[in-house]
Structure formats: structure tokens, C-alpha cells
Amino acid sequence: MHRLYFIIIPILLMLVACGGDTPDKKPVKKVKKATKEVAAAKSSLNGKKLYMTHCSVCHMPNGLGMKGAFPPLANTEWTNGPAEVMIDIVLNGFNEEIEINGDKYVTPMAALPHIKDDELAAILTYVRSSFGNESSAVTAEEVAVVRSRGK
Ligand code: HEC
């Protein structure tokens, strides 16, 4: 009988020690940290992923477009201009004869209003900081403002 106590008591003590310590403090912190990291990873990943889904068919994954058909998104007056102009191009379409690096583009770009505010913000933030562009980030609020103005 005595021997059994020597085995059971330490086990009970260990259970109490673990049970009392971990659920209260450490896991809560860990979960919060993990959530933050996931959110950060998500917002930096989404822009590229969404660009691939919504824009790369025409503007190409490298943002260089297709000469004479789809304009590049690298260092153009639009990608380096005010965010609201880019937002307007995507939400309402674009139909102007433009010239970039000596190449003319005459085919219009269709409006893509189905892209959600936060998604478009992520896409445009990605475009404005990729392909050699160094323009400011775009927020979902800015997209909502342009959307509410209508065409
Ligand atoms: C179906 C093809 C197509 C898709 C998809 C498309 N575009 Fe365009 N885009 C065009 C064409 C064509 C033009 C030129 C329109 C014109 O000159 O009138 C253009 C022009 C632009 C311009 C202005 C010119 C420049 O090169 O700076 C921007 C900015 C732009 N697109 C961004 C985007 C973004 C961001 C997406 C994704 C959300 C997108 N486009 C999706 C075809 C497309």
C-alpha cells in the first residue's frame, strides 16, 4: 500500500501543477499572438494572391502587361498617382487612349465592382509597392469612399 502512495502522490502533484499553470496564463497569450501573426500574414499575402486572381490575366504576374494590348502597372502615372484614381479605374473601368513607354493602349478595361473594399485595398497596396512602384498603401475606407461616389 505504501509503495502505491509513492507513485500516486507525485502523479497527482504533477497533474495539479500542470493543470493550474497552463490553462490560466500561457495558452491565452499564445493564442492572441498566433491570431495577430495570422492576421499580419493574411494582409500581406492577400494583395498578391488577389492580384493574381483579378488582374494578372491581363497585366501579367510581373506587372509588365502585354505590349500594345494590356498596359504595364510598373511606374505608370496611374500606379504612381493618387490612390483614388486607381480605385476609380478598377471600380468603374477605364477607357482612354493612353501611351506608356511609347506604346499605345486603346482597348478599354472593364469595371470590376465585384471586388470587395478590403480586397481591392490589398490589391492596390500590393501593386503600388511592387513592380518597382513606391506609392502609398490604400485602405478599405478609401475604396468605400470612391465606391459611394458612383461612376
Ligand atoms: C481583362 C483585362 C484586364 C484586367 C483583368 C484588368 N485590367 Fe487594368 N487595364 C486593362 C486595359 C486594357 C487597360 C487600358 C485601358 C485604356 O487604355 O482605356 C487597363 C488599365 C489599367 C490601369 C491604368 C493604366 C496603367 O497601366 O497604369 C490600371 C492602374 C489598371 N488597369 C489596374 C488594374 C488592376 C489593379 C486590376 C485588377 C484589380 C486590373 N487592372 C485588371 C486590362 C485589364
Side-chain angles (χ1 to χ4, degrees), residues 7-151:
I7 296 166
I8 287 172
I9 288 171
I11 288 175
L12 282 177
L13 281 174
M14 269 169 64
L15 284 177
V16 169
C18 296
D21 203 24
T22 39
D24 279 338
K25 296 172 193 167
K26 287 175 194 165
V28 176
K29 267 189 196 162
K30 268 188 195 155
V31 167
K32 269 190 192 159
K33 206 179 159 203
T35 315
K36 260 191 198 168
E37 276 164 9
V38 167
K42 230 180 166 184
S43 58
S44 60
L45 277 181
N46 268 356
K48 184 174 186 178
K49 216 172 148 190
L50 291 163
Y51 172 84
M52 290 303 169
T53 307
H54 297 286
C55 321
S56 71
V57 209
C58 299
H59 294 287
M60 297 293 124
N62 62 6
L64 295 181
M66 259 174 92
K67 218 175 164 71
F70 307 118
L73 297 180
N75 295 312
T76 72
E77 64 175 88
W78 296 272
T79 53
N80 285 331
E84 59 176 22
V85 173
M86 281 185 89
I87 298 169
D88 182 65
I89 286 175
V90 179
L91 291 181
N92 299 315
F94 191 55
N95 188 6
E96 272 175 34
E97 278 195 39
I98 57 172
E99 198 177 314
I100 299 173
N101 305 329
D103 300 313
K104 287 206 166 90
Y105 297 91
V106 293
T107 327
M109 173 177 149
L112 302 169
H114 55 277
I115 301 176
K116 295 192 186 87
D117 292 351
D118 55 347
E119 290 174 340
L120 186 52
I123 292 173
L124 295 183
T125 298
Y126 170 72
V127 170
R128 288 164 69 85
S129 59
S130 306
F131 320 134
N133 298 329
E134 288 179 350
S135 298
S136 58
V138 179
T139 65
E141 287 73 26
E142 287 174 289
V143 178
V145 168
V146 176
R147 195 190 293 275
S148 70
R149 276 189 216 145
K151 229 186 167 175

